[in-house]
Amino acid sequence: MAAGVGTIIEWYDYGLYGIVAGLVIAPLFFPAATGTVGLLATFATFAVGFIARPIGGIVLGALADRVGRRPVLMLSIVLIGVPTVLIGALPTYAVIGVWAPILLVVLRLAQGFGAGAELAGAITLLNESATRRRKGFYASFAMATGLVGMIVATLLYTAITASVSPEAFLSWGWRLPFLLSAVLTVVAIMLRRRMDESPEFARVQIERDAGRAPEARANPLVAVWHSFLASPRNWFAGFLIPAGLNGTAYVMLTFGIGYLTNSVGLPRSQSLVVNLSMLVSGSVICVLWGQVCDRIGAKRVMYIGIVGAVALAFPYFAVLETGNLALIIVTSVVMFAFAWSAGSAGHTVLMPALFKAEYRTSGLFSSREIHSALIAGPAPFLAAALVVALDGRPWLVAALVIVTQLLTACALVLGRPFVSREELDQTPALRGVAVRD
């Protein structure tokens, strides 16, 4: 619960911003940029939050290898929660002019810095704390709870829009979900104060105190460089493994809602129903895939997800074009189950195994968050630009989804996780991985 509540807040923030981006942020903070230009400006601000993620990943990842996973997860929740509340109190362009989008960008950068340690930190803590025979099941909650944050954001947004007039929502109603994140932040801090350090990091500290393991690097850049030199191919594998699940998720959940509303012509309420269907089913199916990982291996689960996503990419966008709500919901749920849920469950097992415990967070945080800045964050912006390039047709976006999934497949071939014979024998989720001490 303590690990998962932070990812709830992180994804609550990003899910909420994704929902209101094209509907509220553009007219209130970028009023001079109308139509497609305004939408592109809004998604560019969404991507800005990812620019700071690798910086946060590098700095906080090195810190987590020095002082522990728990203190860094305490810090990250504050860095995400406080800026989210401040966005809800931020004056608009009509009140303070150009300072409105500038301050919005600053707050997005602060959120991104904290998020650089949040999800990767939760993955690390849960993976290191889980029993070996159920590692896939427990580790999958790091990703599944993230969707809970997006579900809460969507339900709050839906409830508020149904309760107030469109004018009132644009004036003040949109601020309420951001301000209410203060409650989630306080709950997260209280839970994490009672959280135990991970057993694997505790073992590393004992080894360091006894002089049997090297001390962690104080300089974050040196720490990341050390994690890279330990296995360059593993670092690059860590960079590419999340490509499919992240690229697809941000296309389907962030770009998708704007596309369904603005291009396909679905009412806003129906577009939100589509998103909510993916989120609810995706969180449950992610945990189910985690259990499958504990039977057949996380690597095999990820390959199943890749094959399903590639096969469904073009049919998925063809169904969106029909405007048939029931058909769109069913296809979206199935696509999301393969393209996001399977990859999410599998990578929570494989990513930590790419790096040894003494430098794990330096390697995992940096590789994953540099990926977020270069691939995941720009995905909605790139998808919107590709649609513009084809005069409103989505086929290049389908190709983008396929490319991100194939990048993940390449990473699974490239990576050589550090797995001993004992770990392989005792950890069913590692089946399909070669032994490497």
Side-chain angles (χ1 to χ4, degrees):
M1 289 177 61
V5 72
T7 62
I8 289 176
I9 295 176
E10 178 191 352
W11 285 50
Y12 175 89
D13 159 54
Y14 281 99
L16 182 61
Y17 190 88
I19 292 171
V20 304
L23 308 173
V24 172
I25 300 298
L28 293 183
F29 291 89
F30 302 96
T34 58
T36 301
V37 176
L39 188 62
L40 290 175
T42 301
F43 283 134
T45 309
F46 180 84
V48 158
F50 287 84
I51 293 176
R53 288 185 72 122
I55 301 173
I58 291 170
V59 174
L60 299 178
L63 186 63
D65 276 334
R66 290 180 60 206
V67 302
R69 314 329 188 192
R70 178 183 174 276
V72 169
L73 284 174
M74 287 285 293
L75 176 61
S76 68
I77 203 64
V78 174
L79 292 172
I80 294 172
V82 172
T84 301
V85 176
L86 292 179
I87 287 177
L90 190 62
T92 64
Y93 189 95
V95 177
I96 60 174
V98 72
W99 282 105
I102 290 175
L103 290 175
L104 179 63
V105 168
V106 170
L107 292 174
R108 294 290 297 164
L109 289 171
Q111 289 173 328
F113 185 88
E118 181 52 52
L119 181 55
I123 290 172
T124 302
L125 183 78
L126 285 171
N127 185 284
E128 291 182 344
S129 301
T131 57
R132 288 185 174 181
R133 301 208 64 82
R134 304 202 71 189
K135 191 176 287 287
F137 173 70
Y138 284 114
S140 68
F141 278 91
M143 301 296 291
T145 51
L147 291 195
V148 174
M150 298 185 74
I151 293 168
V152 173
T154 304
L155 291 176
L156 271 177
Y157 172 84
T158 304
I160 292 170
T161 54
S163 303
V164 301
S165 67
E167 294 77 17
F169 180 80
L170 196 62
S171 174
W172 55 267
W174 69 272
R175 299 181 181 276
L176 296 180
F178 287 94
L179 297 174
L180 287 173
S181 68
V183 177
L184 293 174
T185 302
V186 171
V187 171
I189 292 173
M190 293 175 64
L191 283 172
R192 288 192 170 174
R193 286 182 60 191
R194 301 168 60 88
M195 181 172 65
D196 293 329
E197 185 56 82
S198 85
E200 286 195 44
F201 182 77
R203 177 186 57 78
V204 169
Q205 287 291 70
I206 293 173
E207 294 291 311
R208 285 174 177 164
D209 292 341
R212 294 190 296 268
E215 293 294 328
R217 273 64 174 176
N219 186 315
L221 294 178
V222 174
V224 170
W225 182 243
H226 171 72
S227 71
F228 175 81
L229 290 180
S231 179
R233 66 185 300 160
N234 277 7
W235 193 95
F236 280 116
F239 172 79
L240 290 175
I241 280 178
L245 67 98
N246 278 344
T248 304
Y250 287 114
V251 165
M252 294 182 71
L253 295 172
T254 302
F255 162 80
I257 189 171
Y259 181 77
L260 286 173
T261 302
N262 300 321
S263 298
V264 177
L266 284 186
R268 183 187 308 174
S269 59
Q270 292 186 7
S271 299
L272 288 174
V273 169
V274 175
N275 262 26
L276 192 60
S277 300
M278 287 189 287
L279 294 172
V280 173
S281 62
S283 62
V284 175
I285 294 171
C286 180
V287 176
L288 296 178
W289 278 123
Q291 292 181 308
V292 177
C293 287
D294 288 328
R295 292 180 177 271
I296 68 172
K299 194 171 185 178
R300 293 164 184 163
V301 165
M302 292 196 72
Y303 277 128
I304 293 171
I306 291 167
V307 171
V310 170
L312 290 170
F314 279 94
Y316 163 72
F317 282 100
V319 169
L320 295 189
E321 292 284 281
T322 68
N324 184 310
L325 179 61
L327 193 57
I328 289 173
I329 289 175
V330 172
T331 307
S332 298
V333 166
V334 175
M335 175 68 172
F336 202 69
F338 284 102
W340 186 86
S341 296
S344 293
H347 101 295
T348 59
V349 174
L350 297 177
M351 284 283 287
L354 294 172
F355 308 97
K356 292 187 176 181
E358 56 262 32
Y359 59 83
R360 177 167 291 147
T361 53
S362 296
L364 195 157
F365 287 21
S366 60
S367 61
R368 199 181 193 285
E369 299 312 328
I370 291 175
H371 154 87
S372 294
L374 297 180
I375 297 179
F381 177 83
L382 181 58
L386 291 174
V387 168
V388 171
L390 278 189
D391 296 324
R393 311 301 289 177
W395 312 123
L396 285 178
V397 183
L400 173 64
V401 168
I402 291 174
V403 168
T404 60
Q405 294 289 335
L406 293 179
L407 287 175
T408 294
C410 292
L412 294 177
V413 175
L414 178 65
R416 293 290 185 271
F418 289 97
V419 177
S420 66
R421 171 56 63 185
E422 179 188 4
E423 288 176 303
L424 189 61
D425 291 341
Q426 298 180 6
T427 313
L430 293 174
R431 288 173 181 166
V433 174
V435 174
R436 182 187 177 193
D437 291 314

